[in-house]
Amino acid sequence: NAGVMQNPRHLVRRRGQEARLRCSPMKGHSHVYWYRQLPEEGLKFMVYLQKENIIDESGMPKERFSAEFPKEGPSILRIQQVVRGDSAAYFCASSLRGGSMNTEAFFGQGTRLTVV
Amino acid sequence: AQRVTQPEKLLSVFKGAPVELKCNYSYSGSPELFWYVQYSRQRLQLLLRHISRESIKGFTADLNKGETSFHLKKPFAQEEDSAMYYCAPTTVNKFYFGSGTKLNVKP
């Protein structure tokens, strides 16, 4: 089991371009979480998805950001018309069950987005 | 609103000294509590969970419901304990993470 895989590891985009971040959960995991980490800050929850469904997107900005987790393929975090403030590390985690007692989240190594 | 607070951004101790990383939470329900750790150049990983009442790498964490705290403790810190530590209350739909405490254990 290769663990949670995120790609790319590093992504550079010019202001106004689109950024697409991919996350392949661990085998058998159908719950995916996205987090953003700004420099010198902790992890901030963005969105929680199950296969084909967004369960909780309360942490995601209302504009320019979207996420999906299709039946086949990786989960995608999409940022349209990026701005410098979007520069951050974006982490994906997956779990076998939804967040609850005795459920562990497994993390990817993150994608570091730099907007120039 | 749900909130988790780790008041110390950086904690420096000497090898062999006791260490306590603080975590306070504010929740409407009864979250389950975890500590995650990120060693240099590695991915974030689970350190321990309250429900298991376990001691991992000499670390323990006591839940104090009255104070809504879940501090992480180790009696004798080792250099290899240097890492970022995140307190993570968990509810049905999400894992919340604190802002993290960087532990630096000096030789």
Side-chain angles (χ1 to χ4, degrees):
Chain A
N1 197 331
V4 179
M5 302 299 292
Q6 289 187 250
N7 67 83
R9 290 290 306 280
H10 300 275
L11 182 61
V12 179
R13 283 288 177 265
R14 295 186 186 280
R15 280 180 296 170
Q17 289 185 319
E18 178 181 287
R20 290 170 70 88
L21 289 65
R22 293 175 186 77
C23 169
S24 296
M26 283 184 70
K27 189 175 181 180
H29 287 192
S30 59
H31 301 261
V32 165
Y33 313 81
W34 284 93
Y35 296 86
R36 177 163 63 176
Q37 185 177 40
L38 294 170
E40 307 301 318
E41 294 187 19
L43 294 169
K44 186 179 177 186
F45 168 79
M46 298 182 75
V47 62
Y48 164 42
L49 309 105
Q50 290 182 33
K51 281 285 186 182
E52 300 184 273
N53 290 303
I54 295 175
I55 305 302
D56 185 338
E57 56 183 349
S58 58
M60 200 135 79
K62 295 283 186 285
E63 297 178 352
R64 302 188 298 109
F65 284 73
S66 62
E68 62 177 15
F69 188 18
K71 188 176 179 181
E72 301 290 338
S75 175
I76 306 286
L77 179 67
R78 184 179 174 208
I79 312 172
Q80 295 178 291
Q81 299 174 329
V82 296
V83 300
R84 288 229 170 97
D86 298 332
S87 296
Y90 291 83
F91 289 91
C92 168
S94 74
S95 68
L96 189 59
R97 296 181 293 276
S100 65
M101 284 192 287
N102 218 28
T103 299
E104 179 179 350
F106 293 84
F107 279 82
Q109 291 193 296
T111 293
R112 189 164 299 279
L113 172 65
T114 302
V115 180
V116 298
Chain B
Q2 320 284 34
R3 188 183 303 165
V4 53
T5 303
Q6 292 182 249
E8 302 129 334
K9 274 199 165 182
L10 173 65
L11 186 62
S12 286
V13 300
F14 283 101
K15 177 182 171 182
V19 62
E20 181 180 54
L21 290 84
K22 293 184 169 57
C23 171
N24 291 90
Y25 63 94
S26 171
Y27 277 80
S28 55
S30 297
E32 188 51 41
L33 290 138
F34 298 76
W35 276 96
Y36 282 75
V37 61
Q38 187 174 27
Y39 300 103
S40 179
R41 296 200 176 97
Q42 294 186 28
R43 62 186 70 194
L44 199 65
Q45 59 188 287
L46 177 68
L47 177 63
L48 59 77
R49 65 193 85 191
H50 167 252
I51 194 172
S52 301
R53 302 286 196 273
E54 56 200 350
S55 172
I56 303 293
K57 298 183 180 182
F59 284 97
T60 58
D62 293 323
L63 174 61
N64 185 321
K65 287 189 176 180
E67 296 179 0
T68 58
S69 67
F70 189 55
H71 304 326
L72 184 69
K73 300 176 184 178
K74 184 168 182 176
F76 308 103
Q78 304 299 315
E79 287 181 71
E80 55 266 29
D81 295 329
S82 295
M84 279 291 291
Y85 291 81
Y86 293 92
C87 178
T90 300
T91 59
V92 172
N93 280 344
K94 60 186 83 167
F95 297 83
Y96 292 95
F97 287 84
S99 53
T101 297
K102 184 173 183 178
L103 175 64
N104 180 31
V105 182
K106 298 177 282 190

